């Protein structure tokens, strides 16, 4: 019997996807540009599985062109690149990779928080560029963490992992979510706030909510104006949660002190974008999960989901509600 055709939108190291060997026929896309390459789109008609990245849009038009499709496996925990309702309508389960990238993303969040609090990027550049001429009592001054307030927006797995780490730095923790989570208060010595109050009280605001219709544009001009002029905004979730133009104005006009971003809108952020030129913005290229172990495990989980879907079994991690009978 012919092996099922699977479209892998981006090359992955063979040892990360070794479980697919002998189980599927792989059609692999190029490393760049992101998205479904033309030669993949041509073969959609015969594809039974798709293993894609967060940069690949799976919408109804694509699904229309793939009548034999039985599973979509996203190598990411976020799945805002996929039209879940359209997949569910066609009874196509969608897999994701929760849990495995929690620590790596929380680590990077703390790295961004520390880097911006202590002006690390500027200090390192100044040292390299010859501006370190003396030990200056007033040079490269940053913020103290102990006693400062960190506001966590979205207290899911990653938000909690950030809270756990932040406690060690003596930060006071407040959080917001769709509802008050009493178990979180006790476990992390954190206090629930409305988003408005969190924005008003925090010295650092860190975003950890998924991107969906409710959170798109959540941090807009009104929200940014509620923040302290000394506060820093950190985003390791999804770029479109922040309204970019409003953020540029906030940083230029001093509504807030700084932003540290792992995710942007769009991605990649073009080199000529004004956010790069602002001295108070610090941008890294969506590397929250970028550790050897994490990325490998994400790929392995994506393969597990893919193979389960092809075998007609329940995906170990799926995101469409109501896809399997109770
Ligand atoms: C995800 O998996 O959604 C992350 O953004 C990848 O780093």
């Amino acid at each position: 019997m012919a092996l099922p055709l699977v479209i892998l939108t981006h090359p992955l190291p063979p040892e990360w996807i070794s479980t697919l060997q002998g189980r599927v026929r792989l059609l692999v896309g190029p490393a760049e540009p992101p998205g479904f390459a033309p030669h993949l789109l041509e073969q959609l008609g015969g594809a039974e599985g798709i293993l894609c990245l967060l940069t690949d849009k799976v919408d109804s038009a694509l699904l229309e062109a793939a009548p034999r499709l039985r599973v979509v496996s996203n190598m990411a925990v976020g799945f805002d690149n996929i039209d879940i309702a359209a997949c569910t309508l066609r009874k196509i389960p969608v897999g994701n990779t929760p849990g495995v990238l929690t620590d790596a993303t929380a680590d990077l969040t703390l790295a961004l928080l520390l880097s911006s609090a202590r002006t690390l990027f500027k200090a390192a550049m100044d040292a390299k560029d010859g501006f370190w001429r003396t030990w200056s009592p007033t040079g490269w001054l940053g913020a103290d963490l102990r006693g400062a307030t960190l506001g966590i927006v979205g207290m899911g797995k990653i938000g909690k992992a950030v809270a756990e780490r932040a406690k060690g730095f003596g930060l006071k923790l407040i959080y917001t979510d769709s509802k008050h989570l009493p178990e979180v208060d006790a476990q992390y010595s954190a206090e629930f706030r409305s988003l408005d109050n969190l924005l008003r009280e925090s010295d650092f605001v860190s975003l950890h909510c998924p991107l969906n219709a409710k959170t798109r544009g959540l941090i807009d001009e009104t929200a940014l104006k509620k923040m302290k002029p000394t506060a820093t905004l950190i985003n390791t979730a999804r770029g479109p949660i922040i309204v970019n133009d409003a953020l540029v104005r906030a940083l230029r006009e001093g509504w807030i002190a700084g932003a540290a971003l792992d995710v942007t809108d769009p991605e990649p952020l073009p080199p000529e974008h004004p956010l790069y030129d602002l001295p108070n913005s610090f941008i890294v290229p969506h590397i929250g999960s970028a550790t050897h172990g994490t990325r490998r495990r994400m790929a392995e989980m994506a393969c597990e989901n893919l193979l389960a879907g092809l075998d007609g079994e329940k995906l170990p991690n799926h995101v469409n509600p109501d896809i399997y009978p109770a």
Side-chain angles (χ1 to χ4, degrees):
M1 212 171 67
L3 297 175
L5 177 67
V6 167
I7 288 181
L8 171 60
T9 55
H10 188 283
L12 293 173
E15 63 278 16
W16 293 7
I17 54 168
S18 57
T19 52
L20 301 186
Q21 224 175 10
R23 302 283 310 273
V24 305
R25 263 182 310 138
L26 269 188
L27 184 64
V28 185
E32 289 174 30
F36 285 79
H39 75 280
L40 303 184
L41 292 175
E42 276 167 20
Q43 299 299 322
L44 274 175
E48 294 182 57
I50 289 177
L51 201 166
C52 57
L53 307 186
L54 55 85
T55 43
D56 310 323
K57 206 172 153 84
V58 178
D59 56 12
S60 330
L62 188 124
L63 297 173
E64 282 298 315
R68 302 188 61 192
L69 195 62
R70 289 189 286 131
V71 56
V72 175
S73 179
N74 209 29
M75 189 185 139
V77 66
F79 46 87
D80 46 280
N81 55 314
I82 300 174
D83 186 336
I84 303 300
C87 288
T88 308
L89 202 67
R90 291 167 176 78
K91 302 205 175 353
I92 300 172
V94 178
N96 74 336
T97 63
V100 64
L101 46 80
T102 300
D103 283 332
T105 308
D107 290 347
L108 186 85
T109 304
L110 265 292
L112 290 177
L113 192 155
L114 288 165
S115 307
S116 44
R118 300 301 300 272
T119 69
L120 279 200
F121 184 68
K122 177 161 174 32
M125 293 312 264
D126 283 354
K128 183 166 171 272
D129 292 343
F131 295 108
W132 182 16
R133 291 186 291 266
T134 181
W135 182 87
S136 165
T138 54
W140 304 289
L141 299 182
D144 289 307
L145 295 193
R146 186 164 298 282
T149 299
L150 168 63
I152 298 176
V153 178
M155 213 32 152
K157 286 193 177 78
I158 299 174
K160 286 176 188 157
V162 168
E164 184 191 330
R165 286 155 175 75
K167 252 169 54 167
F169 287 95
L171 283 150
K172 175 181 173 198
L173 300 180
I174 58 179
Y175 70 95
T176 193
D177 207 301
S178 50
K179 60 177 183 358
H180 179 203
L181 304 163
E183 71 286 0
V184 162
D185 303 7
Q187 192 172 349
Y188 302 97
S189 318
E191 289 173 24
F192 179 76
R193 295 284 188 277
S194 66
L195 177 63
D196 283 1
N197 285 339
L198 178 140
L199 293 171
R200 286 193 189 97
E201 287 177 40
S202 299
D203 299 299
F204 301 92
V205 172
S206 193
L207 305 180
H208 300 288
C209 48
L211 174 64
N212 55 37
K214 280 197 189 129
T215 61
R216 186 175 289 275
L218 185 72
I219 306 299
D220 58 4
E221 173 172 338
T222 313
L224 288 160
K225 283 190 166 158
K226 286 181 183 142
M227 289 175 65
K228 294 182 183 177
T230 49
T232 296
L233 177 63
I234 300 154
N235 191 4
T236 55
R238 284 292 184 266
I241 297 170
I242 301 176
V243 176
N244 242 359
D245 294 349
L247 178 62
V248 171
R249 288 184 52 215
L251 292 168
R252 258 195 202 133
E253 296 171 19
W255 312 347
I256 65 172
L261 310 172
D262 178 42
V263 290
T264 56
D265 182 22
E267 285 186 16
L269 196 68
E272 61 281 4
H273 196 279
L275 274 175
Y276 287 118
D277 290 333
L278 292 164
N280 48 357
S281 99
F282 179 47
I283 298 167
V284 293
H286 202 150
I287 57 169
S289 61
T291 70
H292 294 284
T294 299
R295 285 281 166 85
R296 180 179 180 141
R297 190 66 198 121
M298 286 167 73
E300 289 169 350
M301 282 176 83
C303 290
E304 284 158 23
N305 285 330
L306 179 87
L307 290 174
L310 292 174
D311 288 344
E313 286 167 10
K314 190 169 172 175
L315 272 53
N317 293 286
H318 67 275
V319 296
N320 4 28
D322 312 325
I323 187 96
Y324 299 110

